Amino acid sequence: PQAGGFAANRYGMNLGSASVMYASLPYDPFTPFLKGDKDIPIVPLEALPQRLGEGEQRVSFMDTYQTYGLMMHISGALGVNCTYCHNSRSFLTEETTPKHSLALIGIRMARDINTSQLEPMAGLYPEEVLAAHGGEVAKVNCLSCHQGVFKPLYGQSMLKDYKGLN
């Protein structure tokens, strides 16, 4: 049974899900970040911001939860921890590792595959396949290729098998 009133809405959180390494974070970090093109926000700087300055955008706690959900997914999919991409001394600084830039490219690549390759093919899938995924085609995410290792196929080059990519 589900609680009523204020407690009735889980806000997409607090259910154990492999997508976020069983944390109590939003269990669908893929739709906003890997299907849509939502910016990946950072942690809010103050608990209750009073006023926004010119050009500032408010980052809510829910935005932060979604970001952490995506980060937990990436961490599990690559078999690494936060310091693989981030400077743990200060997550809010611009001081990141070179892997951070590669991760951003990977996120953009997954977005592009989902929006330009998979979604246009929705009409080609049988209804039972779409129904299994909530009426949508399956989407790629980090785990699709990485499968728990920091380099897909442990860095094995596939160029020799696909001559057209050389």
Side-chain angles (χ1 to χ4, degrees):
Q2 177 67 38
F6 176 73
N9 190 342
R10 294 179 193 250
Y11 299 100
M13 300 174 48
N14 302 324
L15 290 176
S17 174
S19 64
V20 291
M21 304 301 294
Y22 298 101
S24 64
L25 294 165
Y27 42 83
D28 180 19
F30 312 121
T31 301
F33 300 121
L34 299 182
K35 178 183 174 190
D37 61 352
K38 181 177 179 180
D39 286 337
I40 300 173
I42 59 169
V43 181
L45 297 176
E46 35 188 33
L48 300 170
Q50 298 299 316
R51 185 177 313 185
L52 296 178
E54 186 68 32
E56 290 181 342
Q57 293 182 339
R58 179 166 284 153
V59 177
S60 71
F61 282 104
M62 193 61 189
D63 290 335
T64 304
Y65 290 149
Q66 286 181 324
T67 298
Y68 275 91
L70 180 66
M71 295 299 114
M72 291 296 287
H73 165 73
I74 292 171
S75 178
L78 275 65
V80 297
N81 64 20
C82 306
T83 58
Y84 188 72
C85 296
H86 294 281
N87 175 2
S88 62
R89 184 173 52 86
S90 175
F91 283 94
L92 298 177
T93 66
E94 296 296 322
E95 300 172 13
T96 58
T97 70
K99 303 296 183 191
H100 186 267
S101 299
L102 288 175
L104 292 176
I105 291 169
I107 290 167
R108 290 186 185 110
M109 178 185 64
R111 283 179 185 168
D112 185 56
I113 291 170
N114 288 331
T115 58
S116 67
Q117 302 295 320
L118 297 177
E119 287 183 14
M121 294 177 23
L124 302 175
Y125 284 86
E127 284 298 318
E128 59 271 9
V129 172
L130 293 176
H133 296 284
E136 295 185 352
V137 296
K139 305 291 188 279
V140 300
N141 59 42
C142 306
L143 193 59
S144 301
C145 298
H146 284 274
Q147 299 180 0
V149 294
F150 64 98
K151 285 187 174 183
L153 300 173
Y154 288 103
Q156 178 68 36
S157 176
M158 301 302 291
L159 289 177
K160 66 183 179 330
D161 299 324
Y162 298 94
K163 305 282 188 234
L165 298 176
N166 290 335

